[in-house]
Amino acid sequence: MKKFILALILMVGFSSLTAQTKEELKALQKEKNDSIAVLKGKADAIQAEIDALPGWRLKATGTIGGSISGFNNWYSKETPNSSVGNFGINVNAYADLIEEKYFWKNATNINIGWVKFDDKDDTSDSEDYEVATDVFSLSSLYGYKVAKNFAVSALLEYRSTLVNNFNDPGFLDVGVGGTWTPVSNLVVVIHPANYNFVFSSGDAQYDSTFGAKVVADYTRKFGGLNVKSNLSVFLSYEGSDFSNYTWTNSFSYTFWKSLGVGFDFGLRKNKQEALNYELGFDPDATFETVDNALQSYWLLGLNITLD
């Protein structure tokens, strides 16, 4: 009986000691987490001060995606002997000069994709990779600050393809107006005086016109997630047939050093481009008959970020 009572006392004491040790460890863990949160807050505050200093800010991020596959005597396919491949790359880069009285923001976007479908039983079939996506844009914005969040500004923006038909067509916007920066990661450009130059070897379906330019650019980092969105709109004073917009978005999550996963997509509407494409099938097509469908692209793959 005495041995039983002694064993019971030891068990209760051990349980109490274990519970006490666990509670102490949890309390110590909370204390360390609180300390880490305080240190992170101080580090973020210092980084914000560094970001606010005058000078250049440089950054580039790129997404690479692709796949290849091959089939030999795979009779369940319509083409049992074939090889398939696709490869795409998207690059966003910027170089910004921020000074007390002025800023100069420069950015470029490149998105190129290649695809191949080779039917080995068809001798007339192409074995080469063909360009499926071809997007190139370059912009330069200069602003002189007249208030804390507002500047008089001038913008030069160029858009075209890079691999095929470079500058055919090419769109060059040159304009002046104002730029509003309500927060450090959002830039809104409103230029009521803007000329949209269009370069093309085509006929009258491409016209240069005078209009207004509106651009909204948003860049933000949420932990390991980088977000960049750019909306560029040209509103022609000669009508909607000559207006256009492009909206590009990039999301990248860094999971190890500079490597991560990225997703990019873009939307565009341009009636002059739609008409030029339709004239290749219907010589009688006009602005009134053409279907100005929404253009889009997307890319998912490995992402690399360089600061």
Side-chain angles (χ1 to χ4, degrees):
M1 187 65 177
K2 290 181 180 180
K3 291 182 178 180
F4 175 75
I5 295 174
L6 180 60
L8 185 61
I9 293 173
L10 289 174
M11 290 178 61
V12 172
F14 181 75
S15 298
S16 300
L17 180 61
T18 303
Q20 183 180 10
T21 303
K22 185 177 181 180
E23 293 303 321
E24 289 176 351
L25 289 174
K26 284 187 174 182
L28 182 61
Q29 183 185 45
K30 183 179 183 303
E31 180 182 340
K32 296 300 182 183
N33 287 336
D34 291 342
S35 299
I36 293 173
V38 171
L39 291 174
K40 187 178 185 305
K42 291 181 179 180
D44 291 343
I46 294 173
Q47 185 61 51
E49 292 181 11
I50 294 174
D51 293 340
L53 292 174
W56 284 96
R57 288 112 164 100
L58 306 175
K59 186 172 183 178
T61 179
T63 301
I64 301 173
S67 68
I68 57 174
S69 59
F71 300 88
N72 291 304
N73 301 322
W74 200 265
Y75 296 118
S76 62
K77 284 172 57 16
E78 184 178 351
T79 53
N81 300 293
S82 61
S83 61
V84 182
N86 68 81
F87 177 75
I89 181 171
N90 184 83
V91 177
N92 286 290
Y94 69 77
D96 296 346
L97 176 61
I98 308 298
E99 297 291 346
E100 182 180 357
K101 289 294 185 180
Y102 68 91
F103 58 79
W104 182 26
K105 296 177 175 288
N106 304 277
T108 186
N109 171 253
I110 300 173
N111 188 299
I112 304 174
W114 296 266
V115 297
K116 179 184 79 167
F117 183 86
D118 177 24
D119 183 355
K120 297 178 182 179
D121 297 324
D122 185 356
T123 57
S124 63
D125 196 16
S126 174
E127 299 180 1
D128 300 328
Y129 279 87
E130 298 182 1
V131 176
T133 306
D134 194 354
V135 179
F136 172 66
S137 66
L138 180 68
S139 66
S140 184
L141 173 68
Y142 177 85
Y144 186 84
K145 299 177 184 178
V146 295
K148 181 181 178 180
N149 297 323
F150 189 80
V152 292
S153 56
L155 173 69
L156 184 149
E157 182 185 83
Y158 177 76
R159 292 184 297 102
S160 183
T161 54
L162 193 61
V163 180
N164 289 338
N165 304 320
F166 176 71
N167 203 41
D168 185 19
F171 299 86
L172 176 65
D173 282 292
V174 180
V176 294
T179 296
W180 179 46
T181 52
V183 291
S184 60
N185 47 32
L186 176 62
V187 178
V188 180
V189 179
I190 303 175
H191 286 177
N194 183 94
Y195 199 81
N196 179 240
F197 295 92
V198 185
F199 310 99
S200 170
S201 61
D203 297 321
Q205 65 269 20
Y206 284 111
D207 288 323
S208 302
T209 61
F210 189 68
K213 186 73 174 181
V214 178
V215 177
D217 188 89
Y218 179 77
T219 305
R220 188 72 183 271
K221 185 173 183 179
F222 303 91
L225 178 64
N226 291 283
V227 178
K228 181 172 179 61
S229 182
N230 180 276
L231 175 65
S232 178
V233 182
F234 173 68
L235 302 171
S236 175
Y237 293 145
E238 295 189 20
S240 60
D241 290 343
F242 305 100
S243 301
N244 62 77
Y245 75 81
T246 302
W247 183 32
T248 58
N249 300 271
S250 177
F251 303 90
S252 62
Y253 184 80
T254 303
F255 53 76
W256 184 71
K257 293 186 177 181
S258 297
L259 297 178
V261 61
F263 176 69
D264 301 90
F265 76 91
L267 303 174
R268 180 161 71 192
K269 267 205 170 186
N270 188 317
K271 204 165 188 179
Q272 294 194 82
E273 288 181 338
L275 179 59
N276 181 66
Y277 177 78
E278 187 65 23
L279 285 171
F281 302 93
D282 180 8
D284 297 323
T286 65
F287 279 123
E288 288 71 28
T289 62
V290 68
D291 178 19
N292 186 22
L294 180 66
Q295 305 174 46
S296 66
Y297 72 82
W298 64 271
L299 175 67
L300 175 67
L302 179 69
N303 180 266
I304 302 174
T305 301
L306 302 175
D307 291 300

